[in-house]
Amino acid sequence: MSRTPDLVIAHGTVVNSFGRRNAHVVVRDGRIDQLIDAAEPVPAAARTIDATGRLVVPGGVDGHCHVAQVTGRFRTLDDYRTTSTAALWGGTTTIIDFGIPRDAQETPLAAVLHKKELALESRCDVALHGAVVSWDETVPWQLEQLAAEGVRSVKMYTTNRGTTMADGDTILKVMREMVRLDGLTYIHAEHDPIISDCTQQHADDGRIGIEHLHRTRPELAEEISVKETLAMAEYTKAPVYFVHQSTPGAVDLVTEARARGQEAYSETCPHYLTLDDTVYGSAFPEWYACCPPMRSPETVAALKERLADGAIHTVSSDHSCYDLSQKRERTDDVRAMPHGLPGVETRMPVTFTAMASAGSSVEAFVEVFSAGPARINAVPGKGAIAEGFDADLVVFDPAEERTIDGGALHMGTDFSPFDGRRLTGWPAVVVSAGRVVLDADGFHDPGAVGRFVARNGFREHLSSGAGSAFPGSAAATPATLSAAK
């Protein structure tokens, strides 16, 4: 091991979810080697970055991305090179993608192994979730194989019948298996019978175009599905994580379950914190085609209050990279158009802007942007600036303002739902695994160096103290990462 540090980020204010200190961050061999009080001399290093007057935060962990996703006849236009590059531009240094079976012939295990192969082109580190659509006698063995691969979570949809929807029997059985394997159950919660009936009624009335999307998927459908799923999780004693919650009622159900002792978590997305259903009356409503849809201004305000109160545990992008030509093929029928928004690159400034406007601290931002996703998803070595952790770092300027230009972003599409918005809080320098990939000179492509991160067991990770990341705690010695190459 070289004795001279590869990198020192000097004189910054290091902000973790649990507090801040003025320190020099010393990086050696891709890991954080030391935190030295800023009153001490700056150590000699191969490269020194002066962070005076700026914050240094952990690299982002985006727990909900869809890369090269196939849904019916549509495929997102990105690949791992594109999405990981965009993630780094936006201060995210680890993405967690989904291996979702493309059709009835692809198994959950095959879907994950396919994504793992595609991820060899990634510029940042990658972890994966599995997914189960239907139950058969091979599923327990497949889930065991996924756990052995370091894939310790499985996503299931309670809607989208005929494609990705899992029925109640499947969800219950998978939850039991995830308890056995010390894993985490991910749920897309929308009540399919309500959505199907509501959508059909709108179609019968000729109100099925994109401008009516928000009326076809009511808040009640999300909240009833969350309530039912929590009951199954309570019955099986399964830890459960709800993706992209869009209503305060859904969040409150999780909060109440946690008060009863359940291991349940709420995720939301930047667009649910900042956009409301008036966008469907705009000139370009197709920019906002996603499920769940945007909610009323009153719901958005209440959801942001829940985030400020700490009731929401992570903010993820739910990145899905379609372009406008795909979106515009069937704007006349929401049932036939692709849903999902590009957002991996803009997650940092949109989330920070929303939280700052609600009076949240930078520490609270770090919790939902990095520390919480790493801890809940049992991703070793991520989510904190502490000795022994991966050197995934962002020199962050909370005062910098920029206006979003969707066409100038790097996500492989031609729009952003935040186009034209003035956002505050941007990365000035991004360090991924000890490499400076973004600085004042622009982006420095590191090549296909991203590693596949094998995740720990859910309860194993939490009980070890990993993720708390207080200096000197068990988290200062994270588990070894597993490389795909």
Side-chain angles (χ1 to χ4, degrees):
M1 178 185 293
S2 169
R3 301 311 306 164
T4 301
D6 304 307
L7 174 68
V8 171
I9 298 179
H11 299 295
T13 300
V14 174
V15 184
N16 280 302
S17 61
F18 51 80
R20 63 179 67 192
R21 62 179 290 198
N22 296 325
H24 312 308
V25 184
V26 180
V27 173
R28 183 182 281 114
D29 298 325
R31 296 286 183 96
I32 297 169
D33 187 63
Q34 287 180 285
L35 292 177
I36 300 174
D37 190 275
E40 298 296 323
V42 178
R47 179 172 180 181
T48 300
I49 293 173
D50 185 2
T52 300
R54 286 178 168 166
L55 308 180
V56 185
V57 302
V61 178
D62 193 337
H64 187 166
C65 289
H66 297 279
V67 185
Q69 181 67 49
V70 177
T71 304
R73 66 185 184 87
F74 291 101
R75 181 196 182 281
T76 58
L77 298 178
D78 58 343
D79 54 23
Y80 273 95
R81 175 175 181 167
T82 302
T83 298
S84 61
T85 296
L88 293 170
W89 270 98
T92 288
T93 51
T94 304
I95 59 174
I96 312 182
D97 186 20
F98 295 83
I100 300 173
R102 290 168 286 184
D103 51 42
Q105 284 67 51
E106 187 171 45
T107 66
L109 179 58
V112 165
L113 294 178
H114 175 65
K115 281 296 186 76
K116 192 174 178 182
E117 183 67 24
L118 294 181
L120 292 171
E121 292 302 312
S122 183
R123 272 55 182 161
C124 71
D125 288 352
V126 176
L128 288 170
H129 306 288
V132 174
V133 177
S134 60
W135 182 268
D136 62 49
E137 67 276 5
T138 71
V139 170
W141 174 83
Q142 291 188 63
L143 296 179
E144 289 174 1
Q145 299 306 303
L146 291 178
E149 291 278 342
V151 178
R152 306 299 288 261
S153 54
V154 168
K155 183 179 184 181
M156 290 175 288
Y157 294 77
T158 66
T159 189
N160 303 335
R161 68 177 69 177
T163 55
T164 57
M165 177 180 166
D167 63 26
D169 288 340
T170 296
I171 292 172
L172 193 89
K173 290 174 180 176
V174 169
M175 281 182 169
R176 287 194 186 280
E177 292 301 310
M178 297 313 288
V179 171
R180 180 174 68 87
L181 297 169
D182 194 15
L184 180 63
T185 300
Y186 261 55
I187 295 289
H188 173 132
E190 290 184 285
H191 192 275
D192 192 74
I194 291 176
I195 288 173
S196 295
D197 183 74
C198 188
T199 302
Q200 188 59 53
Q201 287 191 45
H202 279 78
D204 292 345
D205 292 342
R207 296 179 294 127
I208 200 62
I210 180 59
E211 66 274 17
H212 301 291
L213 174 63
H214 56 302
R215 301 185 180 96
T216 66
R217 305 180 88 95
E219 293 185 20
L220 177 64
E222 182 175 345
E223 291 166 14
I224 289 297
S225 184
V226 170
K227 190 171 185 176
E228 288 184 354
T229 304
L230 282 168
M232 286 190 281
E234 184 174 11
Y235 176 67
T236 59
K237 297 181 172 57
V240 62
Y241 178 109
F242 292 95
V243 299
H244 52 49
Q245 292 198 307
S246 66
T247 78
V251 174
D252 290 346
L253 287 166
V254 173
T255 299
E256 291 161 8
R258 290 175 62 83
R260 296 192 301 270
Q262 280 190 252
E263 295 168 301
Y265 300 92
S266 292
E267 168 198 280
T268 194
C269 304
H271 41 282
Y272 298 123
L273 297 168
T274 54
L275 304 174
D276 62 55
D277 60 13
T278 61
V279 298
Y280 298 113
S282 69
F284 304 108
E286 67 274 13
W287 288 15
Y288 311 101
C290 61
C291 299
M294 309 311 169
R295 304 300 190 184
S296 71
E298 295 78 16
T299 293
V300 172
L303 188 72
K304 194 158 70 169
E305 287 177 5
R306 300 305 190 276
L307 179 62
D309 291 342
I312 295 173
H313 304 98
T314 70
V315 178
S316 302
S317 68
D318 193 6
H319 175 79
S320 296
C321 193
Y322 301 104
D323 71 359
L324 290 176
S325 66
Q326 292 172 304
K327 293 279 190 182
R328 287 169 175 161
E329 279 189 36
R330 292 302 307 273
T331 56
D332 63 309
D333 191 336
V334 296
R335 298 168 298 182
M337 69 184 301
H339 293 273
L341 306 178
V344 71
E345 186 173 352
T346 52
R347 185 174 67 111
M348 173 175 261
V350 179
T351 303
F352 184 79
T353 300
M355 294 186 73
S357 70
S360 298
S361 67
V362 180
E363 287 85 349
F365 165 73
V366 169
E367 172 64 21
V368 298
F369 180 71
S370 185
R375 181 177 61 256
I376 296 166
N377 287 289
V379 186
K382 308 294 184 182
I385 302 176
E387 292 178 5
F389 270 63
D390 291 341
D392 296 338
L393 306 160
V394 178
V395 179
F396 178 64
D397 189 343
E400 183 177 355
E401 292 187 356
R402 299 182 198 170
T403 300
I404 293 289
D405 176 357
L409 297 172
H410 307 88
M411 291 183 285
T413 185
D414 54 358
F415 80 104
S416 165
F418 307 107
D419 193 77
R421 289 182 172 255
R422 191 77 174 165
L423 301 174
T424 303
W426 292 84
V429 176
V430 177
V431 178
S432 178
R435 303 178 184 90
V436 178
V437 294
L438 181 72
D439 59 17
D441 295 326
F443 185 73
H444 309 284
D445 187 348
V449 297
R451 300 165 296 183
F452 173 74
V453 183
R455 291 155 58 198
N456 295 329
F458 171 78
R459 289 180 175 136
E460 168 201 4
H461 192 75
L462 293 184
S463 65
S464 72
S468 62
F470 284 94
S473 73
T477 310
T480 303
L481 297 180
S482 173
K485 297 177 272 191

